[in-house]
Amino acid sequence: MPRRAGGTLERHEQKERKGIHAEDTHRLVGENVVLRPPTESDVEVAYAWDRDPELAAWNGRSPLSVSLPAARRDYLSRWRDTSVKTFIIEFGGEPVGMATLYDFRRGGCELGIKIGPNELRNQGLASEAVGLLLDYAFDVLDLDVVRGSTLSHNGRMQRVFSKFGFVETGNGSILSRYDNRRYSEVFYELRRDR
Ligand SMILES: CC(C)(COP(=O)(O)OP(=O)(O)OC[C@H]1O[C@@H](n2cnc3c(N)ncnc32)[C@H](O)[C@@H]1OP(=O)(O)O)[C@@H](O)C(=O)NCCC(=O)NCCS
């Protein structure tokens, strides 16, 4: 799936079509999803996702075990941290997932994403969100590269990376804190100038 058209005018037109408002860079509006900054009202849903064993396993983490008040303090400080860009993914006006741009260095950043409810996965929501994030990263933040990684058995996430033209840059292994087993992971990147 080509994400971007070449040329300033075409890029501008694509932004208009997708509804990205450069003057309001923290609210990315697509056809089905809206990406917006998290607010205090998102704490409970974020907490529920972080306690979900399946989501934790896909991230190689153990489900969150701290109390809600402790998690609230952590979320609110993380969401205020301007070195990380966190977005709530809304679908039908409800928060359904989270996307993060983080680890800004060497002209690029890392992209992480999750769709919370199992029944909403495989419906194209992450693909649309990633398209919006890539336009934001390249056209608004002016980055040269967006990086990502996922477990080698995460076919869905790999498909999302590959459909936008991400290329594999290597692989490694992580010790999952979910089950203390070692898994292989794949690293990806998408360069603006490719
Ligand atoms: C991974 C995740 C973010 C993808 O979001 P999503 O909204 O489900 O993804 P989409 O529906 O946009 O796209 C999924 C693609 O994978 C394909 N797919 C589904 N299962 C697959 C599999 N086992 N192997 C390969 N491709 C698969 C789908 O057909 C679709 O591709 P298509 O659009 O070409 O048909 C989401 O499923 C999720 O949150 N999963 C749990 C947490 C997670 O894995 N997070 C990523 C950690 S790195």
Side-chain angles (χ1 to χ4, degrees):
M1 177 193 292
R3 184 188 59 80
R4 287 168 291 138
T8 311
L9 182 61
E10 286 165 319
R11 279 211 302 275
H12 175 72
E13 284 171 346
Q14 190 180 34
K15 266 200 246 179
E16 289 296 303
R17 185 163 51 76
K18 287 188 171 177
I20 296 176
H21 307 297
E23 72 282 5
D24 180 10
T25 52
H26 291 279
R27 189 176 170 84
L28 313 181
V29 181
E31 263 172 49
N32 299 293
V33 297
V34 173
L35 274 57
R36 59 155 178 84
T39 67
E40 192 151 1
S41 66
D42 299 309
V43 163
E44 287 188 18
V45 72
Y47 185 65
W49 295 331
D50 282 342
R51 287 170 68 82
D52 178 339
E54 190 192 349
L55 281 169
W58 284 119
N59 282 301
R61 297 195 184 129
S62 42
L64 199 63
S65 57
V66 300
S67 68
L68 178 59
R72 179 188 306 276
R73 281 193 297 276
D74 185 42
Y75 290 135
L76 295 180
S77 93
R78 213 184 309 160
W79 295 345
R80 273 187 221 110
D81 177 354
T82 52
S83 71
V84 178
K85 296 195 178 297
T86 306
F87 296 88
I88 291 289
I89 303 169
E90 273 188 358
F91 173 63
E94 296 296 323
V96 299
M98 189 177 278
T100 314
L101 300 179
Y102 63 101
D103 199 10
F104 287 84
R105 64 191 162 95
R106 291 188 285 127
C109 71
E110 294 275 332
L111 180 157
I113 187 163
K114 64 186 167 200
I115 300 295
N118 191 21
E119 67 277 11
L120 290 181
R121 296 183 199 138
N122 267 339
Q123 294 190 26
L125 301 184
S127 297
E128 193 180 334
V130 168
L132 291 167
L133 288 164
L134 291 173
D135 283 345
Y136 177 66
F138 291 127
D139 299 343
V140 180
L141 300 180
D142 205 24
L143 299 178
D144 295 323
V145 59
V146 175
R147 308 180 190 95
S149 64
T150 192
L151 297 173
S152 62
H153 59 281
N154 194 336
R156 269 188 312 226
M157 195 63 225
Q158 290 180 24
R159 171 70 188 134
V160 173
F161 282 136
S162 69
K163 73 202 274 191
F164 284 97
F166 279 78
V167 294
E168 281 186 42
T169 55
N171 44 61
S173 78
I174 61 162
L175 182 64
S176 171
R177 295 189 188 282
Y178 177 71
D179 55 9
N180 282 323
R181 289 179 56 189
R182 194 160 281 283
Y183 292 93
S184 52
E185 68 178 332
V186 189
F187 302 106
Y188 291 87
E189 70 172 30
L190 178 67
R191 304 202 74 88
R192 172 161 63 176
D193 56 7
R194 73 173 266 286

